[in-house]
Amino acid sequence: MDLQIQASAQCLPHEEKLIRERHVLVAGCEACYRLFECGSHFLVEVRLGADCVRSDIGTSFSRAAHLYDLLVEGEVTPCTVQDILQDYALA
């Protein structure tokens, strides 16, 4: 698998291209989910209030888009993103 947890691709913010963004109410707070393209890698960002996590989720767009959709549908919060991505990588 090409899934890399927390090993962010080396891209400057102006080199990142926002592909998708969704806002979802989670436990009464707005969570923001973003999928970025950064060179040949894809990054996912999950933000809830002041908490934010960004992770490199590999080089395959189809896998990155699928993972992004799963995170949004599952209303995953920043504190659990890494656990979810690790479980997905092991599956």
Side-chain angles (χ1 to χ4, degrees), residues 3 16-22 32-38 41-47 53-72 85:
L3 183 66
E16 293 179 355
K17 178 183 173 186
L18 179 63
I19 298 173
R20 294 184 182 173
E21 180 174 350
R22 296 246 342 249
C32 180
Y33 300 87
R34 293 185 176 122
L35 179 62
F36 294 94
E37 182 178 11
C38 182
H41 285 259
F42 295 93
L43 308 172
V44 67
E45 175 184 286
V46 178
R47 182 179 301 269
V53 170
R54 292 172 57 105
S55 291
D56 182 335
I57 53 174
T59 58
S60 166
F61 173 73
S62 61
R63 178 177 292 153
H66 178 68
L67 248 174
Y68 172 83
D69 289 339
L70 290 174
L71 294 173
V72 172
L85 293 178

Side-chain angles (χ1 to χ4, degrees), residues 6 8 18 21 23-24 26 32 45 52 55 57 61 72 75-76 78 81 86 89 91:
Q6 198 85 26
S8 195
L18 179 63
E21 180 174 350
H23 296 263
V24 177
V26 177
C32 180
E45 175 184 286
C52 181
S55 291
I57 53 174
F61 173 73
V72 172
E75 298 179 353
V76 174
V81 168
Q86 286 175 349

